[in-house]
Amino acid sequence: MPTLSPLAPERFPELPEIAGLRISTAQAGVRYKDRTDVMLAVLDPGASVAGVFTRSATRSAPVLDCQAKLGGDGSAGAAILVNSGNSNAFTGRAGEASVARICASVAAACDVPGSRVFTSSTGVIGERLPDDRITAALDGLVAGLAPGGLPDAARAIMTTDTFPKGAVRTVDVAGETVTIAGIAKGSGMIAPDMATMLVYIFTDATIAQPLLQDMVAARADATFNCITVDSDTSTSDTLLMAATNVGPEVTERGGAFEDALGDLMLDLAHQVVRDGEGATKFIEVAVTGAASDADARKVAMSIANSPLVKTAIAGEDPNWGRIVMAVGKSGAAADRDQLSIRFGDVLVAEKGWVAESYTEEAGAAHMKGDEIEIDVDLGLGDGKATVWTCDLTHGYITINADYRS
Amino acid sequence: MPTLSPLAPERFPELPEIAGLRISTAQAGVRYKDRTDVMLAVLDPGASVAGVFTRSATRSAPVLDCQAKLGGDGSAGAAILVNSGNSNAFTGRAGEASVARICASVAAACDVPGSRVFTSSTGVIGERLPDDRITAALDGLVAGLAPGGLPDAARAIMTTDTFPKGAVRTVDVAGETVTIAGIAKGSGMIAPDMATMLVYIFTDATIAQPLLQDMVAARADATFNCITVDSDTSTSDTLLMAATNVGPEVTERGGAFEDALGDLMLDLAHQVVRDGEGATKFIEVAVTGAASDADARKVAMSIANSPLVKTAIAGEDPNWGRIVMAVGKSGAAADRDQLSIRFGDVLVAEKGWVAESYTEEAGAAHMKGDEIEIDVDLGLGDGKATVWTCDLTHGYITINADYRS
C-alpha cells in the first residue's frame, strides 16, 4: 500500500443505502492477494443506466461492451461487475470472449438478461483476464448482496489509489428527498500499467434513461473531463450511473437534482486529482476572457499539462514565466499585452509584463499552500473554463520509472 | 555547470571558417559571471538571411523583431547578435525598446543598416534585459571579429546546456565545394526559467533569399519541429540561416545542398535532444501505416510526449501497454486489431495483442541500451512520421522543481 496522499480528504463519507440497489464484494484473486478485488452491483427491475466512456481509439473490451449495451430495455433489472488488477485492455479477441463469459455468468447468477450486465476491468494492460476466477467468485458475491455495500465497493475497485473515493448528496424532488451516492477510483493514468478512472453513481430518483444519459454526459464534461493528472488517457475510463427509479421523478434538465449530481461528480473528480501519483499540491486553473470556451479550455489544459508549470509548483516556485509560455503554446488566440495572471488574490502579471504591485514574496507565499489557484484572463472575449490538476514530483517518477514488473 | 549529459557526442566537430562571415564573443555580464554570454556575427554585403521561429502567441520581443525584418534587402550586409542569461520575453514595451537600442548600436558599430540586425535572447523570462551591458561590450566584440569564431559562439549562447552543439557538412555545387556550418543551444524548454532553442547556420554558397527561406522552413519541419523534450514550447525559439553568397550558386530545391543542409539540421536537432534535461535515453519514435502523415505525426508526438511512456523508458521497462495507451489517446485514426509495435527489431504486439513470439526478456534487452527505437505501424494507410525525444527522469524534476531562484 503506497503512502496516503497528503491531499486525501479527512474522512470517507457515510454512504447511505439506495433503494433498489444491492452491492457485494469478494476476494477473487485476479491479481491481488488478501484484499477484495471484485464488486457486484445488482439493480432491481426498472432501473435506468447511463454512462460515459474513454474516447481512446484503443479502448478495452469491457468499455466496448458497455457502450453497445447502453440505452437498452431496463425492465428486467441490471447488474454491474467490476474487477481490479487486470484491465482486459489490448487483449484482442480473447478479451471480448472473457467479457462474454462474465456477462453470461452474472446474468445467470443474478437473473438479469446478459444484455443488461455491464462490466469494467482496471489494472494491467495486455494480460489475459483470468475470468474463471471472477465467475468462480459469483456464488459468494450473490450471497453477500446487501443494500449497504457501497463503502466496501469503493475499496474493492482500487488499484494504486491511496484512499477510497466516495461522495453523497441529497436533494428535494417534488417534495421528497432523493439520494445520489457515488464511488470512484483512479489517480490519473499513473500507476505502473494500471490506468483507469472508474466511477459508479447511484440514485433512488426516477429518471428516464435518455434524460439520465444527457445529464450524465453534460456534467461529465464539466467535471471528470476537466481534470488531468499527467495528460495520459486510459483505455478503460468508465462512468456508469444508475437510477433505481424507486423515488420521485426528475423530468427536466437543469434543476436541483442535476445541480446536486454535478456537485457530487465534481467532488469525486477532485478526489481523483487529490490522489494523483506523487501529488503534493491541488491546482485549480481558471481561464477567463478567451475568444471562446473552447479556447479557454485549450489554455487551461495547456497550463495544467505543462511539465514545467507542474514542476515549478512542486518546487513552490511562483514561476509565472512558465504560465506565459503555456498560454503561448496552447494554440488559442492570445495577446501578450492583454493577458493578466493571478495566483489566488495576488496579481502577478498584466499588460504584457509583471505587475507593478507584484512581489516575489507574495507569489511565493501563495505557492506554499497545498491548494494553488492560477487565474488567467486573456482579455479578449467571454470564453471561460476551469480545470484541475496536481503537481509533478519525484514521487511520480519513482512510481512510474523506478519500477520494473 | 551541470553534469555532462550521458548522451553527449564524443567530441565537438571542427567548425571551419565560412568566407564572408566573421564572429566574435564577449563577457557582457548579462547574468552569468566568468563566461562569455554574447556573440556577434557579421555578414559581408550581399548575404541572404532566412529564419524560422516559435509559433507561440507570447513570443519574445527579439523574435517579433526578427520576423519583421526577414526578406529585406541584403546588399549592405547584416549582423546577428545573441545574448544568453535573459530572454527579453514577456517584458512588454520595455522589451521592444531594448531590442531597438541594441539594433541601433550594432548597426552603428558594424556599419550595417538597423533593418539588417537580427537579435536573439535566451534565459530568464519576464526580467528587463540590461541592454546597456550588451551595447557596452560592442566595441570589444567588433574588435574581436574573426573568421574562426563559430566554436566560441556555440559556447557563448549556452544557458543550462551541458555541452556546446555544432555540426558541419560539405557538398559539391557546380563542381565546387561549399560548406554549411551550424551551432545550436537548448535542451528543450527545460531549465529554470531558461527556455529556448537557438540555431545559427552559415554557408558560403550563393542562394537567393526566397529559395533559402523555403529550404530552411521545409527542413525545419522535418528536423527541429520533430523533436520534443517535455512538450513545452519556448517563447524565443529561433533558427537563422545566412548564405554569404561567396561561392557557387544553388538554384533549386531538393538537390545535394538541401540534403546536406537537412542532414546538418537533423544532427543539431538530435544534439538538442541528447542534452534534454535529465535525459539518459535517446528515443526515436517512427510511425507508419497511418491514414495520413498528419495522423502519423499525432501518434508519434502522443507517444513521445507521454509522461508514462517516458518514465517507463527511464526505468528500462518495455511497457508496451503504455504505447497502446498513447496511440489510443492521440486523436488519430487507429484500429486496435491492425496495430503493431516493435522495439528495435523485436516484434512486441500485433493483431490487437502481444505477439506470440515476444518475450519480456527481448523487450527488456532493447530498453537497456541508451538508444531506444519504437516503431508503430497502424496498418491503415501510407502516412508516416518520425520524431525524437528523451526519457523523463528524476534529473528533470530535480532541475525544474528543486530549484528556487
Side-chain angles (χ1 to χ4, degrees), chain B residues 85-217:
Chain B
N86 182 315
S87 73
N88 194 15
F90 210 68
T91 45
R93 301 293 169 211
E96 294 163 22
S98 287
V99 173
R101 281 192 293 270
I102 292 171
C103 287
S105 298
V106 171
C110 301
D111 196 23
V112 298
S115 63
R116 299 297 292 162
V117 179
F118 301 89
T119 72
S120 305
S121 296
T122 175
V124 177
I125 294 178
E127 291 187 11
R128 183 191 289 266
L129 179 67
D131 55 81
D132 54 323
R133 297 183 200 168
I134 295 171
T135 50
L138 264 180
D139 285 349
L141 281 165
V142 171
L145 284 168
L150 260 184
D152 287 342
R155 287 176 186 86
I157 63 176
M158 287 169 63
T159 54
T160 53
D161 301 60
T162 75
F163 60 86
K165 297 163 188 72
V168 60
R169 297 292 184 277
T170 54
V171 62
D172 185 275
V173 175
E176 290 182 62
T177 298
V178 302
T179 302
I180 314 171
I183 59 173
K185 66 100 13 186
S187 22
M189 182 48 216
I190 54 141
D193 299 61
M194 302 203 193
T196 304
M197 183 172 70
L198 299 181
V199 185
Y200 305 93
I201 305 173
F202 302 95
T203 182
D204 51 3
T206 296
I207 316 177
Q209 199 278 340
L211 177 61
L212 186 64
Q213 182 65 34
D214 285 353
M215 264 186 206
V216 166

Side-chain angles (χ1 to χ4, degrees), chain B residues 9-372:
Chain B
E10 288 196 16
R11 66 181 66 81
F12 188 78
E14 291 206 19
L15 297 185
E17 300 177 8
I18 301 286
L21 167 72
R22 289 168 302 146
I23 291 185
S24 177
T25 59
Q27 298 188 11
V30 172
R31 183 185 182 92
Y32 307 121
K33 306 292 168 205
D34 303 321
R35 55 156 281 191
T36 57
D37 59 353
V38 187
M39 73 159 251
L40 173 66
V42 177
L43 294 152
D44 288 350
S48 305
V49 179
V52 294
F53 303 92
T54 178
R55 297 188 182 108
S56 169
T58 54
R59 26 193 194 280
S60 69
V63 167
L64 293 167
D65 186 65
C66 281
Q67 288 181 305
K69 288 172 174 174
L70 269 191
D73 173 19
S75 58
I80 301 171
L81 185 133
V82 184
N83 75 271
S84 55
N86 182 315
S87 73
N88 194 15
F90 210 68
T91 45
R93 301 293 169 211
E96 294 163 22
S98 287
V99 173
R101 281 192 293 270
I102 292 171
C103 287
S105 298
V106 171
C110 301
D111 196 23
V112 298
S115 63
R116 299 297 292 162
V117 179
F118 301 89
T119 72
S120 305
S121 296
T122 175
V124 177
I125 294 178
E127 291 187 11
R128 183 191 289 266
L129 179 67
D131 55 81
D132 54 323
R133 297 183 200 168
I134 295 171
T135 50
L138 264 180
D139 285 349
L141 281 165
V142 171
L145 284 168
L150 260 184
D152 287 342
R155 287 176 186 86
I157 63 176
M158 287 169 63
T159 54
T160 53
D161 301 60
T162 75
F163 60 86
K165 297 163 188 72
V168 60
R169 297 292 184 277
T170 54
V171 62
D172 185 275
V173 175
E176 290 182 62
T177 298
V178 302
T179 302
I180 314 171
I183 59 173
K185 66 100 13 186
S187 22
M189 182 48 216
I190 54 141
D193 299 61
M194 302 203 193
T196 304
M197 183 172 70
L198 299 181
V199 185
Y200 305 93
I201 305 173
F202 302 95
T203 182
D204 51 3
T206 296
I207 316 177
Q209 199 278 340
L211 177 61
L212 186 64
Q213 182 65 34
D214 285 353
M215 264 186 206
V216 166
R219 293 297 179 153
D221 269 346
T223 56
F224 292 106
N225 288 336
C226 288
I227 63 172
T228 177
V229 167
D230 55 10
S231 79
D232 278 339
T233 305
S234 161
T235 49
S236 307
D237 287 335
T238 294
L239 184 165
L240 283 172
M241 175 159 183
T244 59
N245 295 338
V246 170
E249 184 165 10
V250 177
T251 53
E252 286 184 338
R253 290 284 317 273
F257 179 87
E258 183 173 336
D259 285 347
L261 173 62
D263 195 47
L264 175 141
M265 288 166 76
L266 192 61
D267 185 344
L268 289 174
H270 285 183
Q271 290 185 49
V272 170
V273 172
R274 287 176 186 280
D275 209 3
E277 205 73 59
T280 67
K281 307 277 186 185
F282 178 83
I283 306 167
E284 175 173 297
V285 181
V287 175
T288 53
S292 66
D293 286 353
D295 261 18
R297 184 179 162 85
K298 269 189 204 167
V299 171
M301 278 293 181
S302 178
I303 295 168
N305 281 326
S306 162
L308 286 171
V309 171
K310 293 159 85 85
T311 49
I313 293 172
E316 303 189 337
D317 179 1
N319 195 321
W320 56 271
R322 296 185 184 176
I323 311 280
V324 173
M325 176 280 298
V327 172
K329 76 163 181 168
S330 71
D335 176 343
R336 184 193 71 190
D337 296 338
Q338 298 299 318
L339 182 64
S340 66
I341 299 170
R342 286 171 190 272
F343 292 149
D345 294 334
V346 181
L347 177 64
V348 177
E350 62 176 350
K351 297 175 189 158
W353 206 0
V354 64
E356 275 190 41
S357 59
Y358 178 69
T359 64
E360 189 79 355
E361 290 67 35
H366 183 73
M367 289 293 153
K368 288 210 181 306
D370 59 13
E371 311 258 330
I372 306 298

Side-chain angles (χ1 to χ4, degrees), chain A residues 382-397:
Chain A
D382 296 326
K384 60 186 189 331
T386 303
V387 307
W388 297 272
T389 189
C390 57
D391 54 342
L392 174 58
T393 67
H394 282 290
Y396 182 88
I397 305 289

